[in-house]
Amino acid sequence: MEAPGTTDDRLLHQRVVGGDESALGEVHDRLYPLVLGLALRVTRDRVVAEDIVQEVFVTFWERPLAFDPDRGSLRSWLATIAHRRAVDHVRTEERHRVRALAPRLADPEPSPMEDWVLAADEAARVRLAVSRLPSEVREAIELAYYRGRTYRQTAEDLGLPEGTVKSRIRLGLRRLADELAEKEV
């Protein structure tokens, strides 16, 4: 016995494979709210979510044979693609934020007096921002960035799972970047 909508999925899929643009329009009209809602929930950015939606439907149009109706519904397949793309986007943004913040967390190297004063001021701002973090987040940040511990070593030092430590560090870095960016404006 087939799941509800499976026959529709097969027919729409066959039409898209055959190059029928109206079939893609039907898929789009039917599943756009789902794909957009999922992307928006993950990214929390409407513009990014709409870009992801476009990528998902373009992917289906360009490679319709990647979908196999025997393995699941078109709804689930498109939702999975949207979720993966949204998560990839969030992870990429997170890496950019971490890279942008990392130089601020490093100890300044000795330099001419003006550079040293500016670096000391920025280091003080970072230390103050770190001190405002919740203690469990602050401990993870301090171990990882001030003491040069790896995620695994930090997890061992704190007696926590590595995933928990990574989450705390990510949260801390996000909060630090937001606070430091606010004060620069």
Side-chain angles (χ1 to χ4, degrees), residues 135-182:
S135 61
E136 65 276 358
V137 173
R138 185 179 62 249
E139 288 174 325
I141 292 283
E142 287 173 345
L143 285 168
Y145 286 91
Y146 291 126
R147 296 192 184 150
R149 308 290 282 163
T150 65
Y151 285 130
R152 182 170 286 130
Q153 291 168 332
T154 301
E156 289 171 5
D157 291 349
L158 296 175
L160 296 170
E162 191 173 335
T164 301
V165 167
K166 287 180 182 180
S167 295
R168 287 182 182 179
I169 290 172
R170 263 189 245 116
L171 172 66
L173 292 175
R174 188 175 308 124
R175 286 186 179 176
L176 289 172
D178 289 346
E179 182 173 337
L180 293 171
E182 286 175 12

Side-chain angles (χ1 to χ4, degrees), residues 93-115:
E93 288 299 309
E94 186 66 28
R95 281 193 298 273
H96 291 309
R97 285 182 119 176
V98 168
R99 282 189 198 120
L101 184 60
R104 295 179 181 184
L105 293 174
D107 290 331
E109 294 182 25
S111 60
M113 186 57 118
E114 288 176 297
D115 290 342

Side-chain angles (χ1 to χ4, degrees), residues 116-137:
W116 186 85
V117 169
L118 290 174
D121 180 54
E122 187 158 340
R125 286 181 49 230
V126 170
R127 279 192 299 277
L128 179 62
V130 169
S131 73
R132 293 181 178 152
L133 292 172
S135 61
E136 65 276 358
V137 173

Side-chain angles (χ1 to χ4, degrees), residues 35-45 48-49 51-53 55-56 78-93:
V35 175
L36 177 65
L38 206 149
L40 190 55
R41 200 168 27 254
V42 173
T43 65
R44 297 181 182 186
D45 183 324
V48 171
D51 287 345
I52 289 169
V53 169
E55 288 175 26
V56 168
L78 291 174
T80 299
I81 293 172
H83 183 261
R84 287 180 181 162
R85 297 252 169 114
V87 168
D88 287 347
H89 173 81
V90 170
R91 286 179 179 159
T92 299
E93 288 299 309

